[in-house]
């Protein structure tokens, strides 16, 4: 059997890294812009209290989705990529089929459990709670988020960064923006929260169906490749890999996002809207770091596989430091023009969230600095 030319192999790797990095950059950057557009449309279309409920429902649905994934989204990337790299195509198909089934079961348990708990347990205790009235929407939102997140990771495991970027948020946000604009044009009565939630779920479903159809075509080409008779990854290995990831993901989400829940408990929905809008806007402070992470992740992975990761550390420290400069500039801009920026982004009524914007932007800047504090003993895990 002819061996692959090392020079050609290195050239192919460089081309893959360059192409993947470009798609990752475009996907992250464009999605960040569109998320701001979506939130700006929602705050202008809905009453302030309803916008607060939307932000709160979004956070609950996202947390439920991470729970329903059972940590198998990142687990699937590992074993799908391993199967593709080693031409174990039966492993690729097997991992996708089984993780899809396990995640579907997890989604039913989490989404159904949330609906039952909200309606039958907390409903009688808090009969006037507005968020409980949205339980059916949120349960469906959880399910949609699960398969939306899982789909992007499947494409990532198949080493198709292009589709991973498109279906990791870009396509969904485009569909949502179009849907919201159409709703605004055709609606004669005041737009309700249920209308916006309906458009959100419809956009999510369109994105998921489109992505899964494309995934099936990609898997068909994988099935046609010669298959090695190799042992498949056992369910026990999938579980043992997924549970620690689930624990880290949930704990990280609670540390970073649970503040909106706390505000929802102690304050009214008007305050939640102000806080949620500021929280959405300050997310762009982290975007230079997130984009940088998406670009350098494959490079770090390649260097780690070659055992030469330490050679990359000085460059990563320098690039990480430079990437914080736009974040610092944004925080200074928020300090100087907080009220004006909130008013332009979300409407004049949201100018009252200027203090939230300043404090939350400082928190995000602290996260940026922490990310850039590369530890020589972390083996590149910070990336």
């Amino acid at each position: 059997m002819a061996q692959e030319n090392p020079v050609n192999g290195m050239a192919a790797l460089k081309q893959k890294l360059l192409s993947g990095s470009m798609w990752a950059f475009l996907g992250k950057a464009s999605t960040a812009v569109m998320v701001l557009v979506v939130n700006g449309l929602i705050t202008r279309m809905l009453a302030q209290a309803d916008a607060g409920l939307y932000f709160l429902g979004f956070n609950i649905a996202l947390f439920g989705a991470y729970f329903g994934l059972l940590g198998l989204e990142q687990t699937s990337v590992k074993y799908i990529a391993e199967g593709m790299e080693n031409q174990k195509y039966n492993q690729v198909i097997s991992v996708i089929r089984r993780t899809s089934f396990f995640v579907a079961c997890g989604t039913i348990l989490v989404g159904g459990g949330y609906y039952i708990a909200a309606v039958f347990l907390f409903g009688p205790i808090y009969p006037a709670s507005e968020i409980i009235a949205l339980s059916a929407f949120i349960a469906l939102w959880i399910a949609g988020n699960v398969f939306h997140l899982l789909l992007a990771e499947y494409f990532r495991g198949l080493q198709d960064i292009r589709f991973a970027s498109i279906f990791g948020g870009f396509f969904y946000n485009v569909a949502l923006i179009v849907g919201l604009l159409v709703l605004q044009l055709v609606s004669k009565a005041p737009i309700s929260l249920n209308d916006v939630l309906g458009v959100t779920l419809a956009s999510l479903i369109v994105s998921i169906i489109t992505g899964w159809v494309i995934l099936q075509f990609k898997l068909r080409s994988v099935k046609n490749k010669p298959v090695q008779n190799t042992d498949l990854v056992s369910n026990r290995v999938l579980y043992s890999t997924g549970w620690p990831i689930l624990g880290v993901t949930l704990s990280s989400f609670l540390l970073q996002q649970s503040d909106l829940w706390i505000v929802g408990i102690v304050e009214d929905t008007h305050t939640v809207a102000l806080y949620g809008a500021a929280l959405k806007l300050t997310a762009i402070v982290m975007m230079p770091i997130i984009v940088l992470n998406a670009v350098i992740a494959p490079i770090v992975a390649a260097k780690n596989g070659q055992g030469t990761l330490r050679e990359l550390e000085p460059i990563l420290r320098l690039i990480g430091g430079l990437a914080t400069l736009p974040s610092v500039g944004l925080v200074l801009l928020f300090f100087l023009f907080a009220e004006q920026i909130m008013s332009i982004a979300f409407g004049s009524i949201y100018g009252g969230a200027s203090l939230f914007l300043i404090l939350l932007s400082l928190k995000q800047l602290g996260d940026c600095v922490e990310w850039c504090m590369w530890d020589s003993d972390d083996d590149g895990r910070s990336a």
Side-chain angles (χ1 to χ4, degrees):
M1 181 180 296
Q3 294 183 350
E4 183 182 3
N5 189 323
V7 176
N8 293 337
M10 182 58 67
L13 176 60
K14 289 180 179 179
Q15 180 62 33
K16 183 184 296 184
L17 291 176
L18 180 61
S19 174
S21 297
M22 183 59 67
W23 276 106
F25 175 82
L26 292 174
K28 295 289 185 182
S30 58
T31 299
V33 173
M34 286 189 293
V35 166
L36 287 179
V37 173
V38 166
N39 291 319
L41 286 172
I42 288 172
T43 54
R44 284 174 168 81
M45 295 170 67
L46 295 177
Q48 187 177 351
D50 286 344
L53 288 172
Y54 185 93
F55 292 145
L56 194 56
F58 176 89
N59 264 34
I60 294 172
L62 189 58
F63 178 77
Y66 285 133
F67 209 125
L69 284 166
L70 305 175
L72 293 176
E73 75 283 12
Q74 295 183 45
T75 302
S76 63
V77 172
K78 171 181 170 59
Y79 292 111
I80 291 171
E82 178 188 284
M84 292 296 292
E85 187 68 24
N86 298 312
Q87 298 181 350
K88 300 177 181 179
Y89 301 118
N90 55 338
Q91 174 176 306
V92 172
I93 302 299
S94 174
V95 168
I96 290 177
R97 285 177 176 172
R98 284 184 291 151
T99 53
S100 297
F101 174 76
F102 297 145
V103 165
C105 294
T107 303
I108 293 172
L109 290 175
V110 174
Y114 171 82
Y115 179 79
I116 292 171
V119 174
F120 298 104
L121 180 59
F122 295 107
I125 300 175
Y126 305 103
S129 175
E130 296 169 297
I131 195 67
I132 290 176
L134 303 175
S135 299
F137 278 110
I138 293 176
L140 292 174
W141 209 349
I142 289 173
N145 283 339
V146 165
F147 288 99
H148 181 250
L149 294 169
L150 185 63
L151 176 65
E153 297 308 314
Y154 281 161
F155 281 122
R156 204 179 311 280
L158 291 169
Q159 301 174 11
D160 194 329
I161 306 301
R162 175 187 55 173
F163 282 129
S165 300
I166 291 173
F167 292 103
F170 178 85
F171 189 93
Y172 160 64
N173 281 291
V174 169
L176 182 52
I177 290 172
V178 172
L180 291 173
L181 291 175
V182 170
L183 175 64
Q184 197 167 27
L185 288 173
V186 303
S187 181
K188 297 179 180 179
I191 297 173
S192 69
L193 177 58
N194 286 350
D195 294 332
V196 173
L197 286 172
V199 171
T200 300
L201 291 177
S203 303
L204 199 54
I205 291 170
V206 168
S207 176
I208 292 169
I209 292 176
T210 304
W212 280 83
V213 168
I214 293 175
L215 177 65
Q216 295 309 310
F217 279 107
K218 288 190 68 67
L219 292 182
R220 184 177 300 176
S221 65
V222 172
K223 292 177 183 178
N224 293 332
K225 294 181 179 181
V227 176
Q228 296 183 14
N229 293 322
T230 56
D231 294 333
L232 300 179
V233 180
S234 67
N235 291 340
R236 177 178 294 182
V237 171
L238 291 176
Y239 294 147
S240 62
T241 307
W243 287 118
I245 294 174
L246 175 63
V248 171
T249 302
L250 294 182
S251 60
S252 176
F253 184 93
L254 289 173
L255 288 172
Q256 296 178 10
Q257 301 289 333
S258 60
D259 50 349
L260 186 64
W261 298 357
I262 296 171
V263 173
I265 293 172
V266 301
E267 296 288 347
D268 57 22
T269 50
H270 293 81
T271 305
V272 173
L274 295 175
Y275 189 89
L279 187 64
K280 296 290 186 181
L281 184 55
T282 55
I284 66 173
V285 174
M286 279 291 291
M287 282 315 301
I289 297 298
I290 293 174
V291 171
L292 174 63
N293 192 36
V295 171
I296 68 171
I299 300 173
V300 171
K303 289 291 185 181
N304 191 43
Q306 296 168 3
T308 59
L309 183 60
R310 291 185 180 275
E311 298 176 1
L312 200 61
E313 286 184 6
I315 300 175
L316 294 179
R317 291 179 187 274
L318 175 61
I319 295 176
L322 292 175
T324 60
L325 295 180
S327 300
V328 173
L330 283 171
V331 173
L332 289 176
L333 197 63
F334 291 160
F335 258 93
L336 296 174
F337 306 104
E339 184 174 351
Q340 295 89 330
I341 291 173
M342 288 297 297
S343 298
I344 292 171
F346 302 107
S348 58
I349 195 172
Y350 288 86
S354 56
L355 181 59
F356 289 148
L357 180 65
I358 292 171
L359 295 176
L360 289 170
S361 64
L362 284 174
K363 174 182 176 293
Q364 294 282 13
L365 182 60
D367 292 340
C368 290
V369 173
E370 182 180 357
W371 186 93
C372 294
M373 298 289 288
W374 296 94
D375 184 352
S376 59
D377 295 326
D378 69 356
D379 296 329
R381 288 186 293 271
S382 298

